[in-house]
Amino acid sequence: KLDKFPPVLTEKTLPQEMALENIVTSKKINNDLYHLDNSGHFFKNREKLTEKVLPIKPETEYSLDIFPGHIFLRENKVLYLFNPESKSFEKFFEPINSIKISPDSKKLIYFSDFEIWVLFLKDEPPLHRAGERVFLIRLSEKIGNCFWLNSNYLIFNAANKIKIAEIDKRDRINLVEIAE
């Protein structure tokens, strides 16, 4: 409790199914705790959300990315999306380097070493519907990292160059090299 002086630490025990040795990965968003346990089930708080078990591989890195209406699980370089209808994780993209939400929280970018994709989380009439995935660009140079410049433009590095790309593909993608 930080409102007392000096602060007081109190120990809380987790239920057996939430024991730390059973949790593969977890993430807290607001007051909700999401976790994947070593049996391959996914939980929100203490409620089991999965019916189909995801086989957990030893010596494998797992992480959760949670965005409005979308829950992603990374297993090394494989990205899974939680499907609430089938109550299971389904393969979404491979190989994944990173996933990032736009400043307006309406889009996600996800990319590999050579490709950048956009997932629309909300409708953006008249061009895009929620859930639509759009392939943006494939490069021959390896993409180092990619960021949102604003909600319609990306900035990324490929090889030794910094580039800006517009996500609007109506005619063709506008791509500008701004520095080497």
Side-chain angles (χ1 to χ4, degrees):
K1 297 184 178 185
L2 297 175
D3 58 341
K4 302 203 184 235
F5 188 78
V8 178
L9 289 175
T10 56
E11 185 176 343
K12 287 188 176 182
T13 58
L14 294 170
Q16 181 59 33
E17 70 272 8
M18 288 182 68
L20 291 177
E21 62 269 7
N22 295 337
I23 295 177
V24 174
T25 186
S26 66
K27 188 157 218 162
K28 186 172 184 178
I29 304 291
N30 299 323
N31 291 326
D32 294 321
L33 177 64
Y34 298 85
H35 76 274
L36 178 71
D37 71 9
N38 59 6
S39 67
H41 285 291
F42 180 64
F43 295 83
K44 177 181 178 183
N45 300 321
R46 293 185 185 163
E47 178 188 355
K48 184 169 72 168
L49 299 179
T50 51
E51 286 182 1
K52 185 177 176 187
V53 172
L54 179 75
I56 302 299
K57 300 173 187 164
E59 307 299 321
T60 303
E61 183 181 338
Y62 290 90
S63 66
L64 288 167
D65 291 303
I66 301 171
F67 304 103
H70 293 76
I71 300 171
F72 293 94
L73 174 69
R74 276 193 257 182
E75 177 188 76
N76 284 340
K77 291 276 201 176
V78 180
L79 185 66
Y80 294 92
L81 175 62
F82 180 72
N83 182 336
E85 292 173 10
S86 67
K87 296 185 178 183
S88 65
F89 281 100
E90 299 172 354
K91 190 183 276 190
F92 183 78
F93 186 75
E94 180 183 18
I96 185 79
N97 282 1
S98 188
I99 184 168
K100 298 177 182 179
I101 193 162
S102 65
D104 65 3
S105 300
K106 293 181 179 180
K107 302 172 270 298
L108 294 173
I109 55 164
Y110 52 99
F111 62 95
S112 66
D113 286 342
F114 301 100
E115 295 180 351
I116 300 174
W117 290 73
V118 179
L119 171 66
F120 289 85
L121 300 176
K122 298 180 181 169
D123 288 345
E124 289 202 356
L127 299 176
H128 303 287
R129 311 291 282 152
E132 182 180 350
R133 301 187 325 182
V134 175
F135 169 72
L136 195 61
I137 192 168
R138 180 177 292 118
L139 300 171
S140 58
E141 305 104 4
K142 185 176 180 179
I143 299 167
N145 210 339
C146 187
F147 301 95
W148 287 98
L149 190 57
N150 60 35
S151 294
N152 296 306
Y153 290 87
L154 303 174
I155 187 165
F156 60 95
N157 65 313
N160 290 329
K161 299 175 179 131
I162 298 174
K163 302 178 182 198
I164 294 178
E166 182 180 36
I167 65 166
D168 185 349
K169 290 185 60 173
R170 277 183 277 196
D171 184 22
R172 65 182 178 92
I173 186 170
N174 290 322
L175 182 66
V176 178
E177 203 172 284
I178 61 168
E180 191 165 319

